[in-house]
Amino acid sequence: MSPLLQRSWQRARRRQWWATLLLALPLALAATALTLRVGGFDSATVVLLISLLASVALSTWRSRQLDRHWLVRQLDTHRIVQDSADLLFADAATLNPLQQRQQARVTAALQASMPELRPRWPRRWMAVSWLLGLVVIALVLGWPRSGGGNVMPSLSSPPAATAALPPRLQSTRLAITAPSYTGQPARVQTTLDAKVAQGSGLQWSLRFSARPTQVALQFHDGRRMALVRTGEEWTGTWNADRAALYRVVTEPALREQRLYRLDVLPDRPPNVRVIVPDRTLVLGTPGQRQWALQFEASDDYGVAADAQLKITLAQGSGENITFREQTLTLSGSGAPALRRFARTLDLAALGAAPGNDVIAQLQVRDNHAPTPQAAQSTSLILRLPSAEQVQGAELEGMVKKTLPAYFRSQRQIIIDAEALIKRRRQLPPEEFTRRADAIGVDQRILRLRYGQFLGEESEGGAKPPPTSDALPTSDTPPDHDHDDDKAGGDAHDHGSAQTGSPPVFGSATDVLSEYGHTHDHAEAATLLDPQTRATLKAALDQMWSSEGELRQGRPEAALPYANKALAFIKQVQQAERIYLARVGPELPPIDEGRRMSGNRADLASRTLPIRALDAPDTAIVAVWQQLGATETVPDLDALTQWLRRNETRLTDPLSLAAAIEELRIAPDCSACRQTLRAQLWRALLRPSPQVPRRAAPDRMGQSYLDALEGTR
């Protein structure tokens, strides 16, 4: 579509939009004038806004009716288009040569002479609409408010009739002034239901259709606030200290009475969150000089710009611990509702030494007036290690070097052996043999670990290498036992004392030999059943053979034994049962002096205490039952007194109070009775669950029970 055609189409749609708006505008003004005469200024403002929005929406809808199909039909009415307007919106690639030629011809004709597409102004209908609207506005505004012979009795009633009718709430205005610490601006609303901050100042301005003699606000808790007449309005002020329900009471009574809800939002205390560090107990590093702290404080109305960081330094150990406290003032950054406080402590300036604890806690305040609310963060502890703890940590690090090898699995040994075989050509012979020997050491440690389940000792001195022709029947080959008998029959070595070399402090081998030594235990042999024990022995034999091949630098020959050992270990892990060691009971000692004496002093009763059930108030239960019967009048005064006593226990006391007041205003309302009954059911205490009674047996069941009684 060409730009010229696009602009012509847009002008047509704008002409349609303005024509529709000018037709609907007089009707909107007439409706506004009529509402101003009947309902007042506030109602007229609402009607004017709604009518204008409706007029704009109608104009937009009418302009969008001039869509593409309308444009095609409109263009086809002109001869220069030659009934080919639809070709202007088609893709040239999808047209045949004849259609493309016709499309170019029509486009050129439109470029030369663009027809008028805008619809004509509806001058006749516009004149009728404006004339009718002006007549209605003139009649509404110029008609007298009092006097006889009224043609429009709905707009002006006789004075006697107006005085006889009950007053009706014509306009309402509620001005809310929040406390200064909240930072909320003052606002004015036309509805009497509101949610305000605690301590807000409220000012009501009410206007009635008839002039009442007295006006007051009646609250659900019995309070009553009289309004003062100022001209045509009745005004009153009140400080919102707690949530309440109220209604407007006049003399004479209003034509329609309803409840209004006033929710009071209390100021919550601030919330403090620790960002850095990420844990409450931080273990310091040797030589640490600084400690970074970062907090985040949030509040619904704003946090104070400064906060207090309380630092406690604990020195000493045991019973000789001294504490020293000091306080630092921190300045926050960010918005008042979400501030951040950061500080990096200089441990040397604080006097913190190794072995001391530094405890930090942030205290913040909000802007609540007259007394700010305070909150504090969790205590953060920095524990600086002493010299003894540093030495112990270093020793623990040396011992941990042997732990991964000690807990290596049989599958990992097989994986390491296969990886070493693949790298045989890349490694020198000496390096290859050294790595195979290291895997053999891992195999030995794993064999000793599983041997503990059979009650075997840890191996001591050097043993001859095993042979592969031994039968897999035990953990050690026969010649191994024979050598032990020749050596003295004990074979109970405790480390490296027999080798003659002194132990090396921190050596992995000496640490394992000292702390990993396992003596024979009589109960250790009963951990497994005989079949599982035999399977584990076979696994140890295969580990022995695998270890021998690995220590000699032959991982290819060790793999079959290692795989068989893994298969035996899987069978042991899938054993159906194991037998744990027998452990005798640890009973308290018996006082022989009190036996057979009948002295029951200091003996506590084994009977569980019985706690009385919190039964609901019988009066409230009676009211709930009365609400179920339509012919019974419930005692609403007793229910109101019970609500005042239990207001803090209920989650939503205003809803229950509203249901009571609704039924008090309309006693014959059945829906109000059901609503109050449902609210009261939620407020009642629930009885504890009990075992249900057995249902009475039927005829066949009773016959069966009688037959059982007869057989006794």
Side-chain angles (χ1 to χ4, degrees):
M1 183 172 56
S2 62
L4 182 61
L5 180 59
Q6 179 72 23
R7 288 193 299 269
S8 180
W9 185 16
Q10 294 298 330
R11 287 195 299 269
R13 300 183 75 172
R14 283 195 296 269
R15 173 71 64 83
Q16 183 73 7
W17 190 88
W18 280 107
T20 307
L21 181 63
L22 293 177
L23 284 173
L25 189 59
L27 302 179
L29 296 178
T32 303
L34 184 62
T35 307
L36 180 63
R37 181 62 181 268
V38 176
F41 180 76
D42 294 337
S43 302
T45 303
V46 174
V47 171
L48 177 61
L49 292 177
I50 295 176
S51 58
L52 289 179
L53 291 176
S55 301
V56 172
L58 179 62
S59 302
T60 304
W61 178 77
R62 287 292 307 276
S63 65
R64 290 183 178 180
Q65 295 296 315
L66 307 184
D67 53 1
R68 175 179 166 181
H69 299 286
W70 173 88
L71 182 60
V72 171
R73 294 194 303 269
Q74 193 72 12
L75 289 174
D76 286 338
T77 58
H78 299 276
R79 292 193 309 172
I80 61 175
V81 179
Q82 299 178 358
D83 292 335
S84 301
D86 53 344
L87 295 178
L88 298 175
F89 303 95
D91 189 6
T94 60
L95 301 177
N96 55 40
L98 182 59
Q99 292 176 335
Q100 293 178 0
R101 185 175 181 181
Q102 181 67 11
Q103 183 186 36
R105 183 176 181 180
V106 172
T107 303
L110 291 177
Q111 291 289 344
S113 176
M114 176 61 65
E116 180 63 40
L117 299 178
R118 292 180 297 178
R120 296 181 179 180
W121 289 101
R123 293 184 173 84
R124 180 180 301 177
W125 290 106
M126 290 173 59
V128 172
S129 176
W130 280 96
L131 181 61
L132 181 61
L134 293 176
V135 169
V136 172
I137 294 174
L139 289 176
V140 169
L141 298 180
W143 200 269
R145 294 182 177 270
S146 60
N150 291 328
V151 182
M152 301 176 65
S154 60
L155 299 182
S156 61
S157 302
T162 303
L165 293 176
R168 184 174 58 86
L169 197 59
Q170 189 174 15
S171 64
T172 60
R173 188 172 67 92
L174 178 60
I176 303 172
T177 304
S180 58
Y181 70 87
T182 61
Q184 297 179 352
R187 68 181 192 271
V188 178
Q189 60 183 34
T190 58
T191 58
L192 299 183
D193 295 315
K195 289 185 179 181
V196 299
Q198 190 174 19
S200 299
L202 306 179
Q203 183 179 9
W204 285 269
S205 298
L206 308 180
R207 179 176 295 182
F208 301 89
S209 58
R211 183 174 298 177
T213 58
Q214 294 181 0
V215 179
L217 299 181
Q218 181 68 44
F219 294 90
H220 77 283
D221 55 0
R223 292 179 295 175
R224 187 183 181 93
M225 186 184 70
L227 301 184
V228 180
R229 180 181 174 185
T230 305
E232 295 294 332
E233 294 183 347
W234 294 81
T235 60
T237 58
W238 185 65
N239 190 26
D241 54 353
R242 58 177 177 174
L245 292 170
Y246 70 96
R247 51 193 174 97
V248 181
V249 181
T250 61
E251 183 64 34
L254 284 174
R255 186 185 308 176
E256 297 178 357
Q257 292 187 358
R258 56 158 294 189
L259 282 174
Y260 302 99
R261 179 164 179 162
L262 187 64
D263 291 313
V264 176
L265 307 177
D267 183 14
R268 298 190 303 268
N271 182 32
V272 186
R273 185 173 66 92
V274 180
I275 301 178
V276 177
D278 56 353
R279 57 180 61 88
T280 57
L281 178 60
V282 181
L283 299 179
T285 58
Q288 182 175 352
R289 298 178 179 271
Q290 294 180 342
W291 188 27
L293 301 176
Q294 190 174 359
F295 305 88
E296 185 180 73
S298 59
D299 188 72
D300 45 2
Y301 297 123
V303 185
D306 56 345
Q308 304 298 323
L309 181 62
K310 182 180 178 182
I311 303 174
T312 304
L313 181 62
Q315 297 175 328
S317 61
E319 297 180 355
N320 300 324
I321 298 179
T322 59
F323 297 93
R324 190 176 64 185
E325 296 183 356
Q326 55 180 310
T327 304
L328 301 178
T329 302
L330 304 184
S331 298
S333 61
L338 185 65
R339 294 187 184 273
R340 286 203 172 189
F341 300 88
R343 183 63 180 264
T344 300
L345 300 180
D346 188 356
L347 301 180
L350 295 176
N356 299 161
D357 289 349
V358 182
I359 306 171
Q361 189 179 45
L362 185 69
Q363 297 179 351
V364 299
R365 295 172 291 105
D366 61 1
N367 299 323
H368 187 272
T371 304
Q373 301 182 96
Q376 56 188 9
S377 66
T378 57
S379 297
L380 304 176
I381 303 174
L382 174 63
R383 182 158 298 169
L384 299 176
S386 60
E388 294 80 4
Q389 293 174 346
V390 172
Q391 293 179 0
E394 293 177 355
L395 177 60
E396 181 182 2
M398 289 186 295
V399 175
K400 282 184 177 179
K401 293 178 182 179
T402 65
L403 292 182
Y406 183 76
F407 289 103
R408 189 168 302 229
S409 64
Q410 183 65 24
R411 187 183 301 276
Q412 186 63 39
I413 292 174
I414 296 174
I415 294 174
D416 293 344
E418 292 176 348
L420 182 60
I421 293 172
K422 293 180 180 180
R423 299 189 60 187
R424 174 185 287 273
R425 297 182 179 179
Q426 303 175 4
L427 299 175
E430 296 80 5
E431 179 67 18
F432 181 82
T433 305
R434 188 187 65 80
R435 294 192 181 186
D437 181 71
I439 300 175
V441 173
D442 296 337
Q443 181 69 83
R444 176 178 179 272
I445 295 175
L446 184 63
R447 177 176 59 82
L448 295 178
R449 176 188 174 192
Y450 280 102
Q452 294 176 2
F453 291 96
L454 299 179
E456 297 180 352
E457 283 256 357
S458 299
E459 296 183 358
K463 304 295 190 301
T467 57
S468 59
D469 55 348
L471 295 177
T473 56
S474 64
D475 184 28
T476 56
D479 56 346
H480 174 75
D481 297 336
H482 183 67
D483 293 340
D484 290 342
D485 295 338
K486 290 180 181 181
D490 188 20
H492 188 89
D493 59 339
H494 291 264
S496 60
Q498 297 178 2
T499 62
S501 60
V504 180
F505 179 79
S507 176
T509 307
D510 294 333
V511 169
L512 284 178
S513 63
E514 181 178 357
Y515 297 101
H517 186 72
T518 305
H519 290 269
D520 284 335
H521 193 276
E523 297 295 341
T526 63
L527 289 174
L528 305 173
D529 61 281
Q531 181 180 359
T532 305
R533 179 180 173 84
T535 306
L536 184 57
K537 281 186 177 182
L540 294 178
D541 291 341
Q542 299 300 323
M543 290 182 185
W544 179 273
S545 301
S546 174
E547 176 190 347
E549 298 294 342
L550 289 170
R551 298 297 292 270
Q552 298 178 35
R554 296 195 297 264
E556 296 89 349
L559 279 179
Y561 300 109
N563 289 321
K564 290 181 181 180
L566 178 61
F568 286 133
I569 290 173
K570 291 299 180 182
Q571 294 180 13
V572 173
Q573 292 176 354
Q574 297 173 1
E576 295 181 356
R577 64 174 64 90
I578 62 173
Y579 298 91
L580 299 179
R582 295 187 296 271
V583 180
E586 297 180 1
L587 301 178
I590 300 176
D591 187 3
E592 299 292 343
R594 296 181 56 177
R595 296 193 65 181
M596 308 299 293
S597 62
N599 184 10
R600 300 182 59 85
D602 300 333
L603 294 181
S605 176
R606 296 185 179 181
T607 305
L608 296 177
I610 300 176
R611 184 178 63 86
L613 180 64
D614 298 332
D617 195 347
T618 56
I620 304 307
V621 176
V623 173
W624 183 79
Q625 294 174 351
Q626 293 170 3
L627 290 172
T630 56
E631 66 278 357
T632 306
V633 179
D635 191 358
L636 298 181
D637 295 335
L639 185 57
T640 303
Q641 297 177 2
W642 176 86
L643 177 59
R644 294 176 184 175
R645 295 193 304 268
N646 301 269
E647 188 173 1
T648 58
R649 183 179 63 83
L650 303 178
T651 56
D652 190 8
L654 287 185
S655 297
L656 180 57
I660 296 174
E661 294 298 325
E662 290 289 348
L663 185 59
R664 195 188 299 274
I665 295 174
D668 299 334
C669 179
S670 59
C672 300
R673 295 174 69 97
Q674 296 300 326
T675 302
L676 178 57
R677 198 165 189 261
Q679 291 286 345
L680 192 58
W681 174 257
R682 299 189 186 99
L684 291 176
L685 293 175
R686 299 292 187 272
S688 59
Q690 300 178 356
V691 179
R693 297 180 61 87
R694 181 180 296 176
D698 54 3
R699 183 177 59 83
M700 182 177 297
Q702 188 63 39
S703 301
Y704 176 72
L705 295 177
D706 294 341
L708 290 179
E709 292 290 338
T711 56
R712 292 183 178 179

